[in-house]
Amino acid sequence: MLAEDSTLLREGLALLLAEEGHEVLASVGDGTALVRAVEADPPDLVVVDIRMPPTHTDEGLRAALEIRERRPLVGVLVLSQHVERNYAVRLLSQNAERVGYLLKDRVAQVDEFLESLERIHAGGASIDAEVVRQLVVRTTHADPLAGLTPRELSVLQELAQGRSNAAIAQQLHISLSSVEKNLNAVFEKLDLPRATGYSRRVLAVLRYLES
């Protein structure tokens, strides 16, 4: 299902998805209509713009959060014109599974956009590289990431984009064992619990976004 107030972009996305073999169950222009459509016929995944009518502030984000609360098995991909750090944290603060946050420019990169949809549908996450990049430069003396080595930080950056260990290894041109070693170091340095019921990968991403 699609929710985008720009008719041109909404129809373009619907056409693109149909051409790629996806069924678009609903295509609407505001967050309220999206929530109603999801309740009537839950889809595998929704794509929603953050800024929607009537105020064009966070209506789309609020619709996404409501859908995630009511229908946790429905994947949610939020689109934004600009990096909105607080919105990204709100979206991921409860559960970093079946969720994505991409800049609208990324939609033009069709292969990357479709890969994000597939990753979310498979239960993963997809965070825009530009969002992650801007978070990296927001370092202060109190930053809990300050103790990470450059390699550990780069591995965490790739993890925050939703990549698997194998994909991180390929992206950074390092071995799989090196990825695992660096991730374990990240988990330890961020003091993430080993308790049953917690995903240290998800906790690491949240700690990263909140830093």
Side-chain angles (χ1 to χ4, degrees), residues 87-120:
Y87 288 169
V89 172
R90 284 175 62 188
L91 186 66
L92 293 163
S93 61
Q94 294 182 342
N95 187 351
E97 296 178 352
R98 296 185 179 86
V99 63
Y101 183 106
L102 294 183
L103 297 182
K104 284 188 175 181
D105 289 347
R106 205 69 65 197
V107 176
Q109 301 175 27
V110 175
D111 289 344
E112 186 171 342
F113 174 63
L114 294 174
E115 179 186 349
S116 294
L117 294 179
E118 293 172 2
R119 190 183 301 163
I120 295 167

Side-chain angles (χ1 to χ4, degrees), residues 132 135-136 145 153 156-157 160 204-211:
V132 175
L135 294 176
V136 169
L145 307 182
L153 190 58
L156 179 55
Q157 178 179 351
V205 171
L206 291 175
R207 185 71 58 83
Y208 180 62
L209 292 173
E210 292 169 349
S211 66

Side-chain angles (χ1 to χ4, degrees), residues 132-151:
V132 175
R133 187 193 69 78
Q134 291 200 23
L135 294 176
V136 169
V137 300
R138 294 172 59 93
T139 55
T140 69
H141 66 282
D143 187 356
L145 307 182
L148 302 184
T149 66
R151 174 61 77 193

